[in-house]
Amino acid sequence: MSTMSCLLCGVGGQGTVLASRLIAQTAMRLGYFARTAETIGMAQRGGSVVSHVRWSRGEVHSPLIPPGEADVLIGFEPGEAVRCIDYLKPNGFAVVGGSPIPSVLAALSGESYEAEPFLAYIRGRVDRLIIIDGARVAEASGSAKSLNIALIGAACGALKFNADDIIVTLKERMTGNILDMNRRAFEIGASAAARGYGYKEG
Amino acid sequence: MEARTMKSRTMKSLLWMGNEAIAHGALHAGITLASGYPGTPSTEALETIARLKPEGVHVEWSVNEKVALEVAAGACYAGARALVTMKQVGLNVASDPLMSLNYIGVKGGMVILAADDPGPISSQTEQDTRRFAQFARLPVLDPSNPEEAYAMTRAAFDISEELRVPVIIRPTTRVCHACACVAPFEPLPPKPPEGFRKGREWVIFPRLSYESKKRIVAREQALSDALARFNIIEEPPEPTDCGIACGGISYAYVKEALERTGLQCRVLKVGAPNPFPNEIAERFLDGLSRVIVAEELDPVIEDALRPLCAARRIPLRGKADASLPSAGEYSVAALADALRLFVGGVKLESPGARSEAPPNPPARPPVLCAGCPHRASFYAVKRAVGARRAIYCGDIGCYTLGNAPPLDMVDTCLCMGAGITIAQGLRRTERDTPIFAFIGDSTFFHTGMPGVLNAVYNNSDIIICVLDNRTTGMTGQQPHPGIGKTATGEPAPAADIGNILNALGVDSVRRVNAFDLDQAERAVSGAMDESGVRAILFEGPCIAVAARVKPQARNADPLRSGAEPPPYMTVRESECVGCKICVRKLGCPAMSIIRDKRIAAIDPALCTGCGLCAKVCPVNCIVHSTNGGEAATR
């Protein structure tokens, strides 16, 4: 295997940084060399955020994924997934959170921001696609904050990890109710992936 | 010197962010003290040490970077090793002690982390700390990844001690905020300081500085020798007459760009750009007929290579001839394109147009959080001023985001502490316009206080609005002198900003709850009716801290524990008239308009229940969720 690259994108506060660390930590435990690059700072205040994760048995030079080279795109919401879709390889895998996060600027200018045109565009470009319903994840896991783990659950196979590999990493980082909640979220994502591409959970 | 740091036995590899790697590098080099002021992208270095609370190490958030450097200098005078952390503009604040400290020198090793921010992503400037190091005649190390950041930090302490010189380590955002697998060396225990030995060498005088200057110039060769191992020439598999010089993160991009394109280039990696490694550069140039330089920020390597290339009549490409951009971040793709053109003479093909243009995602600039007390404070001032002309001088912090619509409450912003002082200059030209200066609590302590004293002393006429959210917000909620606890959470005396304002000579100080809109508005009106230097202290906790500490008692009574407030606000759909005033006046990220229903909606996951929207709703249809509100629907 050469370098694996996973791009995560969303809105500040959605948990992209934790998600990228979980992936990197899992890769590292499996004996890969891993790099990440994360958006930390000003843009975290509700702005667009992107995390890059790359791992390999050999050397990884750049922490940033060049456009067109991501094996996996994890989009935490539809508009941000479209913003970063050019990072995805031809025939790459994408998992996208289907619930849009309203934008203050859009709300102010009276523009509408609905998920569907963005999801339709992604469907048109990506064959290996899973869309996860954020509301369903929140309901089933008990928290909207666990969307990140549900998305990783759906991407797990495409990341070439076993489910257990991720679960072990979760256990390294959390305990108790938080762990249980995230395990439920992981299962929702994993079962959506098991049902096949294009399946919309909920 | 090697024996002290670079023990060959390495420990288990760990996933560290560049800033964590620097923190561990300093700890493993046996520091006794770490000081700094928060600033993106440097903050996590000191945070890591504060979190670990290593025995025998004093770690502090100092009130500003100048203070941090001076505190560290004191420890180093006594032979202790110390790390000082800041962002690049923080080094401007610390430049006074830094310039002089080079003339005095250090006994214990001192390493200064000054993090640069190409882009810039979270900074006022795109300044280059390598240039600063040239100006200050100090060694500077430029790591290209977290692994190197760790190793360089450790080595920097040895170099600092051996040559009695502060050493700067200058990572950039993509090193600071990148994680990698780092294999640390065996840590050293904190180096026991010898103690301060009195002597004339610690007192800076012109005569001493004259002698020091000669020593500083004479030491260049010793520095070059000590730093030589960080400057590396890499030969390609096949012979070539093309060379690329680079440093920092650009080295990582160059390596990957060469792999992708399969192009052959000799690479000069400049990990220690000051003093510039001329001898190594001459060896790099031997046999080359073309050279390009890839470096973000300033053309430091390029400028140093120019005379060497000119003497050999080798054409030099880089920023000066616009082969590469002079501003912003570089990337693998941009360098691959530049290399194809440079080595192969291949013009880029413009990428083919996509069959279907994507829909435009909504713009997402950073915004004040839902429940942020600054929104309420800005809105209170805005309402009190009404249609009158007023000027709003801003400062550095989360509240700079108050410049965005719909608040539009930041007319100027320059650097830390400059709101209060710029207001004083504007006052002399705008005699009839009320002038407000907004400043956060941490910035007030950092460099705000001298400006207040200046205003009082010089009979100015401004309204100072201190937005006291009880933390250093933008950088991720670090404590400061007003909190009552230190970097490691130990109790400390809490400085009272109101009392400080009084002591500085501001007699008119009003203290308001930021979320009590009527009270706050009355305070602003009252202050506007007065003259001279007046201050309003808007108190309300940072929602990021409050949400972490006490989810149920966030906004009841700011800064004090109080009644249990409802968790979120909701819109009585049947009563909402769709006027959109709540959305358009406040710009709260939790609020939106449901298009088909033409009514306001509040996202319960984001709303913190601060209730500001209920106070601006003209038909009183926004209520606390526990108070008869219908379930929020979207």
Side-chain angles (χ1 to χ4, degrees), chain A residues 133-144:
Chain A
D133 184 333
R136 174 72 198 280
V137 172
E139 192 185 310
S141 75
S143 168

Side-chain angles (χ1 to χ4, degrees), chain B residues 249-460:
Chain B
I249 190 71
S250 294
Y251 170 75
Y253 300 153
V254 164
K255 291 287 280 183
E256 188 154 331
L258 288 171
E259 277 182 14
R260 281 161 62 99
T261 56
L263 295 168
Q264 305 293 319
C265 268
R266 183 183 293 166
V267 177
L268 172 64
K269 181 196 182 209
V270 183
N274 192 56
F276 192 75
N278 283 315
E279 288 169 30
I280 296 168
E282 293 284 10
R283 264 189 280 136
F284 164 72
L285 294 174
D286 281 342
L288 296 183
S289 63
R290 278 177 289 172
V291 172
I292 189 167
V293 184
E295 56 188 326
E296 293 173 328
L297 303 175
D298 283 2
V300 171
I301 301 170
E302 185 178 335
D303 287 353
L305 284 178
R306 182 164 293 111
L308 308 186
C309 288
R312 293 167 178 256
R313 301 189 186 284
I314 298 173
L316 179 68
R317 302 205 170 278
K319 292 178 195 284
D321 70 339
S323 289
L324 282 159
S326 57
E329 287 193 276
Y330 286 5
S331 66
V332 171
L335 289 180
D337 288 349
L339 282 171
R340 282 192 195 98
L341 187 61
F342 169 68
V343 181
V346 181
K347 278 263 181 207
L348 288 176
E349 292 169 32
S350 60
R354 276 201 297 260
S355 49
E356 189 194 348
N360 263 340
R364 291 191 196 275
V367 291
L368 294 172
C369 301
C372 175
H374 301 333
R375 177 179 292 103
S377 306
F378 281 128
Y379 189 67
V381 175
K382 193 168 184 161
R383 222 160 72 164
V385 171
R388 282 174 283 184
R389 173 178 158 85
I391 297 175
Y392 307 111
C393 296
D395 219 303
I396 306 284
C398 282
Y399 47 96
T400 316
L401 301 177
N403 77 320
L407 291 171
D408 191 17
M409 288 293 285
V410 178
D411 294 323
T412 72
C413 180
L414 185 68
C415 63
M416 292 286 283
I420 290 170
T421 38
I422 285 175
Q424 295 166 45
L426 281 169
R427 160 54 63 231
R428 305 295 165 188
T429 63
E430 293 261 349
R431 291 176 189 280
D432 302 319
T433 308
I435 299 183
F436 290 84
F438 293 93
I439 188 166
D441 40 346
S442 189
T443 308
F444 179 84
F445 294 121
H446 180 280
T447 32
M449 295 188 300
V452 177
L453 187 61
N454 191 69
V456 172
Y457 170 51
N458 289 298
N459 297 311
S460 193

